[in-house]
Amino acid sequence: MKSLLITFALCILSFSPCDAQTVEITNGNKIEVLKKQRENIIKQEKDELKAEVEAINERLDNEEISMQEADELKEEAAKKHALNIENRLAILDNKIALVERNEESKVESDKTFVFSWKDEDDKEDPDYEDKRTTSTLMVAAGFNNALQDGQSLNDSDFKIGGSRFFEIGWVWRTRVFEESNWLRLKYGISFQFNGLKPTDNRFLVDNNGITELQEFEYDLNKSKFRMDNLVIPVHFEFGPSKKIENDGDYTFSTYKKFKVGLGGYTGFSLGERQKLKYKEDGDRTKEKLKSDYNTNDFIYGLSAYVGWGNTSLYAKYDLNPIFEDPNPELNNVSLGIRFDLD
């Protein structure tokens, strides 16, 4: 189910059809073409990320790898392409700065050709156009846990290092003000996968409406509880940006700029499951237990991020308790790294 949801989210990329074509660069349009290449780099890396995720899903369907291995491979792929975008854009920005400083100097007579991608709806109008609203892929991963009011991580019933989360979604960013970019509204749709690993050889049991941790009869090699959510995140993003003007038009760039995002999310639960691995009479046994475990169906919480460029430190906290009354109020909390591939 998780692989299907992630693939579905990445399929949004297909709504931006492209076609390859050759562009002739002269002195008059070299800077414009280089700026267009910024968008092309992002699209290319997104397409490659999509292809890698599909290949991982195929290996998972063929039972060549486990679900955990698939999740780890997807996290590595997302981080790799996020860094690819950051490094490639840095190189391109240096080229743009070089051309802008020397645009008055003598131009080489030889013409240069590059391979470029253009949006289907932009074929008739190659001129520059500012976009007040843009969209991008967002991925995040890190550590996860669950705490009661007043409880610290040292007292948690779940492993600090073993409990992790993964989030992937599509987000839109809109300038709040027409001619200023210091405040942006960021919103979208995300799939959250929150994992918890109990301590002390325990697992979760539904005991007549009460979900409690009990010691397992065998030595557990693995005990993991996972909650899958579909949420709508909304953040106000603050931070400086660079205004880029071109023939009377302009846009704003947050490349290599400090940013802070404050907001929250709301949504609903897609399901819960528990995975156990242990040895029984010398035989390895795997169990996948699917149940609601008396969890709340309605999800809402607070989230924030602070970062530089495309990479941020990311935190989220579920205001809703994980389990329904009369269970103890246990809230999910996450801390990790977030990549906005814009």
Side-chain angles (χ1 to χ4, degrees):
M1 179 66 178
K2 179 177 179 180
S3 300
L4 179 62
L5 292 174
I6 293 177
T7 303
F8 171 76
L10 291 174
C11 284
I12 299 175
L13 297 173
S14 64
F15 295 151
S16 298
C18 303
D19 65 337
Q21 56 181 278
T22 303
V23 180
E24 183 180 87
I25 303 178
T26 64
N27 187 51
N29 64 9
K30 180 178 289 187
I31 295 177
E32 287 75 13
V33 171
L34 288 173
K35 290 179 179 178
K36 277 286 185 180
Q37 282 185 270
R38 288 180 58 86
E39 300 176 6
N40 302 337
I41 287 172
I42 296 172
K43 290 178 182 177
Q44 180 185 358
E45 293 294 335
K46 288 179 180 178
D47 288 342
E48 292 180 4
L49 174 59
K50 177 183 176 182
E52 287 190 31
V53 170
E54 290 175 348
I56 294 169
N57 288 336
E58 184 176 351
R59 293 178 62 190
L60 180 62
D61 293 338
N62 294 333
E63 298 184 350
E64 297 176 6
I65 56 177
S66 66
M67 178 69 75
Q68 181 178 355
E69 290 173 327
D71 292 348
E72 292 174 352
L73 289 173
K74 291 172 187 176
E75 289 183 29
E76 292 175 1
K79 293 177 182 178
K80 179 185 73 175
H81 287 286
L83 291 175
N84 285 352
I85 290 176
E86 185 172 351
N87 293 337
R88 292 179 66 185
L89 290 183
I91 295 172
L92 190 60
D93 282 352
N94 286 334
K95 291 182 179 180
I96 293 174
L98 180 62
V99 174
E100 287 177 338
R101 282 196 304 269
N102 298 280
E103 61 182 349
E104 299 300 329
S105 62
K106 183 178 179 181
V107 181
E108 296 177 359
S109 60
D110 293 335
K111 296 178 180 179
T112 306
F113 293 85
V114 298
F115 188 78
S116 177
W117 293 83
K118 179 178 287 190
D119 289 341
E120 190 72 26
D121 58 2
D122 195 35
K123 285 183 177 180
E124 302 300 326
D125 183 13
D127 294 334
Y128 173 83
E129 181 181 359
D130 174 44
K131 293 182 179 180
R132 187 169 179 176
T133 297
T134 58
S135 61
T136 186
L137 179 70
M138 182 279 293
V139 292
F143 298 108
N144 197 64
N145 217 288
L147 302 172
Q148 296 186 46
D149 187 23
Q151 188 180 29
S152 69
L153 286 174
N154 293 329
D155 303 325
S156 174
D157 291 319
F158 303 97
K159 297 178 181 178
I160 298 176
S163 302
R164 294 184 291 269
F165 82 95
F166 179 72
E167 182 175 349
I168 184 168
W170 195 259
V171 295
W172 286 263
R173 182 174 64 184
T174 300
R175 294 202 310 267
V176 175
F177 304 106
E178 178 67 29
E179 298 185 359
S180 174
N181 196 47
W182 71 271
L183 177 63
R184 289 88 68 178
L185 181 64
K186 212 159 188 175
Y187 50 95
I189 184 168
S190 292
F191 296 107
Q192 295 179 345
F193 309 100
N194 299 321
L196 296 170
K197 288 188 176 181
T199 59
D200 301 328
N201 203 61
R202 294 181 296 174
F203 73 119
L204 287 170
V205 177
D206 181 2
N207 188 5
N208 296 322
I210 301 296
T211 302
E212 56 187 16
L213 287 167
Q214 294 184 3
E215 186 173 356
F216 198 66
E217 57 180 321
Y218 302 105
D219 289 334
L220 285 166
N221 294 324
K222 182 177 184 179
S223 174
K224 182 178 180 180
F225 177 62
R226 198 183 83 197
M227 300 164 286
D228 301 344
N229 304 323
L230 176 64
V231 299
I232 298 175
V234 179
H235 294 90
F236 280 104
E237 186 178 279
F238 310 84
S241 59
K242 180 180 179 182
K243 186 175 183 179
I244 303 173
E245 299 188 49
N246 180 53
D247 294 335
D249 291 317
Y250 61 88
T251 189
F252 295 90
S253 172
T254 58
Y255 177 66
K256 287 191 176 181
K257 298 293 184 181
F258 179 77
K259 63 182 178 182
V260 175
L262 301 174
Y265 50 91
T266 184
F268 57 89
S269 170
L270 295 174
E272 294 75 31
R273 65 202 67 200
Q274 191 169 195
K275 187 175 183 180
L276 305 176
K277 288 184 180 180
Y278 57 93
K279 282 187 177 181
E280 182 179 2
D281 298 327
D283 297 327
R284 293 183 179 180
T285 304
K286 296 181 181 180
E287 287 191 52
K288 294 182 180 180
L289 311 175
K290 189 172 183 180
S291 175
D292 64 4
Y293 291 95
N294 307 303
T295 57
N296 279 302
D297 294 328
F298 184 49
I299 308 298
Y300 58 97
L302 300 175
S303 55
Y305 56 89
V306 56
W308 177 267
N310 296 328
T311 307
S312 303
L313 182 65
Y314 179 50
K316 59 188 181 73
Y317 179 78
D318 287 0
L319 293 175
N320 63 284
I322 295 177
F323 304 108
E324 298 175 332
D325 287 335
N327 285 279
E329 290 192 4
L330 198 65
N331 298 81
N332 193 80
V333 59
S334 308
L335 179 66
I337 301 296
R338 169 181 172 133
F339 300 95
D340 293 89
L341 307 181
D342 53 2

